[in-house]
Amino acid sequence: MSDTVLQLEPFHRLVHAYARRNDSSRYALLFALDARLADIVRSTSEILIGQMRLTWWRDILTKPAADRPSGEPLVAHINLVEESGDSLTPLLTLLDGWEVMLDDFPWEDRQFDQYATARGGGFFAFALAGEKSLNEEQVELGKAWALWDFARHCSDASMRQSAFDRCTEIMTSRTQTGFDRSGRPLSILCKLMIRDVRKRQLTADLYRPASAARIIWHGITGH
């Protein structure tokens, strides 16, 4: 598991540090796989090739552990998390969200909704161990977070603004993060999102000292 954590970008390593010990391996897998899927979408110039690469990960997540290929550290981590009793089903939903990202821009409302529901729902459900369905508040936070993260990384100005506007619309009347201690990394992400919504401006670098200080404070105190 430590190898997976070391492969995370510094921002996610910092957020991951506030996962409970029992949740640490699951969050490490979540951040690592989400980043791997992002790399696939980012580096894909032909939709068919991107779909094939995502299908490879879909097969990994649906095969029995004994049938998965060896030699890929992230696959080994998937096996480890599954052996501990966590369901991989939410990761398939997460993958569905990334598959929508292969669609050409500009998007219609349907594509924004499909992406936000699948990526946000899969990400949050796996983070919380998928023990039960997300409540309504967590579902909405998941959608908003997915749109916010999309906006932060999108190079198309119009699509970036559309995603951020949709995130803002969801978050207009929400100021709480809605998670207990097991969801501390999620509440960190949501706190950063809420700050951007209040400012009506996306923070370019979440790993700068001011942001890191907020992450550490909320990670320790929950406030």
Side-chain angles (χ1 to χ4, degrees):
M1 194 259 301
S2 59
D3 289 342
T4 303
V5 174
L6 290 174
Q7 293 302 312
L8 299 177
E9 63 176 73
F11 168 68
H12 285 136
R13 281 209 304 273
L14 179 59
V15 175
H16 171 269
Y18 296 99
R20 295 187 309 184
R21 178 174 295 183
N22 290 345
D23 303 323
S24 181
S25 184
R26 187 174 66 255
Y27 273 104
L29 171 58
L30 177 60
F31 287 139
L33 181 61
D34 191 61
R36 186 71 64 89
L37 300 178
D39 285 342
I40 290 173
V41 171
R42 189 180 300 114
S43 63
T44 293
S45 57
E46 296 184 21
I47 292 177
L48 182 59
I49 299 300
Q51 288 174 333
M52 291 173 61
R53 294 173 69 190
L54 291 179
T55 296
W56 188 86
W57 281 104
R58 189 179 300 278
D59 289 344
I60 292 297
L61 294 171
T62 53
K63 284 179 179 178
D67 295 336
R68 293 172 187 150
S70 58
E72 162 59 74
L74 192 52
V75 173
H77 197 142
I78 288 172
N79 294 340
L80 178 68
V81 169
E82 189 176 39
E83 287 171 8
S84 72
D86 287 322
S87 170
L88 302 180
T89 300
L91 295 180
L92 293 169
T93 305
L94 174 72
L95 196 153
D96 288 340
W98 279 110
E99 193 161 19
V100 177
M101 289 286 290
L102 295 174
D103 289 357
D104 290 333
F105 296 166
W107 283 1
E108 299 176 351
D109 289 342
R110 171 185 57 83
Q111 290 156 305
F112 276 111
D113 290 342
Q114 287 177 340
Y115 159 78
T117 299
R119 187 177 174 216
F123 192 99
F124 278 36
F126 188 73
L128 300 175
E131 295 176 354
K132 56 184 179 181
S133 298
L134 299 176
N135 62 40
E136 182 178 351
E137 184 73 11
Q138 291 167 344
V139 168
E140 292 303 301
L141 285 170
K143 291 178 182 178
W145 168 81
L147 291 164
W148 172 72
D149 195 68
F150 176 103
R152 288 189 56 249
H153 293 95
C154 183
S155 59
D156 183 289
S158 178
M159 286 287 288
R160 180 170 61 247
Q161 190 61 51
S162 292
F164 192 44
D165 287 347
R166 284 168 166 80
C167 168
T168 300
E169 183 177 354
I170 293 172
M171 296 304 301
T172 296
S173 60
R174 292 178 170 84
T175 59
Q176 302 300 317
T177 58
F179 301 104
D180 60 18
R181 182 64 184 84
S182 65
R184 184 59 53 81
L186 296 183
S187 66
I188 290 172
L189 296 175
C190 288
K191 282 284 188 180
L192 295 171
M193 172 181 66
I194 290 169
R195 185 187 62 179
D196 280 2
V197 167
R198 287 174 175 168
K199 295 190 307 178
R200 297 193 175 277
Q201 181 179 359
L202 292 163
T203 301
D205 183 6
L206 293 176
Y207 198 61
R208 61 183 182 173
S211 294
R214 291 187 181 94
I215 292 170
I216 293 168
W217 175 253
H218 182 69
I220 294 172
T221 68
H223 299 298

